Amino acid sequence: MQVFGQFIATVGWLGLALVASELGATLIHWLGQWVGFRLIGARIVRIAGFRLQLSKVHGHWKLERPLTRHPHLVAAPPADAKRFNHAIYCFGGGLFNLLTVMLSLITLNQFKFSFDLWLFALIIWIWVNTLKAAQLLPMNLHGYPTAGQEFRQARESTAAMTAAYVTACAAAIKVQTGSVRDLDASMIVMPRDGGNRNYLVVRQAWLILEWGLQHGLDTPELLAGLSRLEPSFNMLPPVDLAKYLDATLYWNLVTNHRDPQILAWYQDDGVQQLLRRYQPLAHYKLTAVYEWRVHQQPEQALALIEKGLKLAQRLHEEEEIAWLKALRVQVAA
């Protein structure tokens, strides 16, 4: 019984070491990103992690509690595109974690630990920082590509690097204003040599759809531009694929384009599972528009919209609130 008690106590301390290591490694990762962004003139607009985030909205810092958020920083790239350093965006945090791993290994080699628990705790610390350096934790667990994948994709072509810069600018503007409406119109141009098998280019295409909708451009034409990227489905990271499918399904249904392919995608179990995991709030909006357009059940659609609004308001997801309110107006009309 005494041995069992000692085992439980040891496991508890190791668990505490794991939690402390994750928090410490995340702080180091943030510090590395911040230093890198400062070197190239980028401005931090969001600090996110552990279901909390601090965002600079309309010039003021605001504490938010999103549904899910992996630890990371969002920065507005320098206005001069020539100063944009994609390697810094990809590896700034990981390099600091790698430096921590090297220093920890040197420390491990210098000292002899008389108590094994401290040795295990140091090993956990080194392991967690190693994962952070490779950006495998928690990026892949949340469906995001690793830093290495982002870097390789951007180096494939000039179009891909341009897409990396444009989407980084859009992400920062969206944090500060809640939309991409204020993005410079000169950035909303798909490069001719972009191809359709690079997911950075797909991100830019999805951004064009969002920007065009907010400026009242022709929806069918925007959707046709997005549909040409269908061959990229197998190339997209899960988070990007979920956004792509959500946008494609929603805007085809809301504009009453009930093509067999669109309905088949919506009814596919794999698509639904992907959306529930990576776009959980989109479930209400997407199900509501399906009930409205396909099943001709506006009352049920309005009930789903109200449920989605309550959840989105509780989680302070302003973008989803705007989409749900706009859909409610259309359904109720």
Side-chain angles (χ1 to χ4, degrees):
M1 197 66 183
Q2 185 178 2
V3 173
F4 179 75
Q6 289 178 345
F7 173 76
I8 294 297
T10 301
V11 170
W13 281 110
L14 290 176
L16 182 61
L18 178 59
V19 172
S21 296
E22 173 62 22
L23 290 172
T26 299
L27 290 174
I28 291 170
H29 194 84
W30 280 340
L31 177 62
Q33 287 188 302
W34 179 80
V35 170
F37 290 151
R38 292 292 295 174
L39 288 174
I40 62 173
R43 295 177 293 105
I44 303 295
V45 296
R46 172 173 285 169
I47 304 170
F50 307 110
R51 298 194 66 179
L52 292 172
Q53 64 187 21
L54 193 63
S55 303
K56 194 170 187 179
V57 181
H58 299 296
H60 302 283
W61 288 98
K62 179 181 177 182
L63 184 64
E64 300 167 326
R65 191 173 185 272
L67 187 63
T68 58
R69 190 71 75 222
H70 67 283
H72 70 292
L73 301 182
V74 177
D80 182 2
K82 293 180 180 178
R83 291 194 64 189
F84 177 71
N85 189 315
H86 192 243
I88 291 290
Y89 273 75
C90 292
F91 300 118
L95 285 174
F96 266 57
N97 287 117
L98 183 60
L99 179 62
T100 301
V101 170
M102 294 172 63
L103 292 175
S104 299
L105 288 172
I106 292 172
T107 303
L108 181 63
N109 190 50
Q110 294 294 321
F111 293 94
K112 294 182 179 180
F113 294 89
S114 58
F115 187 37
D116 289 342
L117 182 59
W118 291 110
L119 177 61
F120 286 134
L122 184 57
I123 290 173
I124 289 173
W125 168 249
I126 294 172
W127 176 242
V128 170
N129 275 282
T130 301
L131 291 175
K132 283 286 185 184
Q135 287 201 347
L136 294 175
L137 181 70
M139 299 293 283
N140 280 355
L141 296 177
H142 289 272
Y144 292 88
T146 64
Q149 290 170 328
E150 292 276 309
F151 187 69
R152 285 196 302 271
Q153 288 282 305
R155 288 174 61 86
E156 282 188 0
S157 65
T158 302
M161 184 61 76
T162 300
Y165 176 72
V166 170
T167 51
C169 291
I173 288 176
K174 203 167 187 177
V175 168
Q176 298 174 87
T177 65
S179 73
V180 297
R181 185 182 180 88
D182 294 335
L183 193 66
D184 192 332
S186 64
M187 294 185 177
I188 307 300
V189 179
M190 281 294 288
R192 294 182 180 180
D193 61 338
N196 60 358
R197 305 192 75 81
N198 183 293
Y199 66 73
L200 294 176
V201 176
V202 177
R203 285 180 192 171
Q204 187 177 359
W206 184 82
L207 171 64
I208 291 170
L209 168 67
E210 189 176 13
W211 188 91
L213 291 168
Q214 291 172 4
H215 281 269
L217 301 184
D218 188 52
T219 305
E221 184 177 337
L222 291 168
L223 289 171
L226 192 65
S227 65
R228 75 178 180 84
L229 297 171
E230 288 172 15
S232 301
F233 269 24
N234 293 332
M235 308 291 290
L236 292 175
V239 167
D240 285 275
L241 180 55
K243 287 182 179 179
Y244 183 105
L245 287 170
D246 175 47
T248 301
L249 292 171
Y250 178 75
W251 287 107
N252 271 287
L253 290 172
V254 86
T255 53
N256 214 19
H257 292 138
R258 295 174 291 171
D259 299 333
Q261 185 182 33
I262 295 298
L263 297 182
W265 282 348
Y266 178 88
Q267 295 164 0
D268 185 82
D269 290 339
V271 171
Q272 288 296 328
Q273 184 178 2
L274 185 79
L275 292 172
R276 281 195 297 270
R277 179 172 181 182
Y278 298 110
Q279 290 283 86
L281 275 177
H283 163 75
Y284 297 96
K285 176 183 69 199
L286 203 53
T287 307
V289 76
Y290 187 83
E291 291 295 328
W292 175 43
R293 286 303 195 187
V294 179
H295 290 162
Q296 304 294 316
Q297 296 290 333
E299 296 83 6
Q300 193 167 349
L302 289 171
L304 286 164
I305 290 170
E306 293 303 323
K307 289 181 181 178
L309 274 172
K310 288 180 181 178
L311 180 58
Q313 287 166 351
R314 189 167 75 245
L315 299 170
H316 307 291
E317 291 286 353
E318 301 297 334
E319 183 183 3
E320 198 65 30
I321 291 171
W323 290 125
L324 286 164
K325 286 182 176 178
L327 179 61
R328 182 173 62 184
V329 170
Q330 293 185 66
V331 175

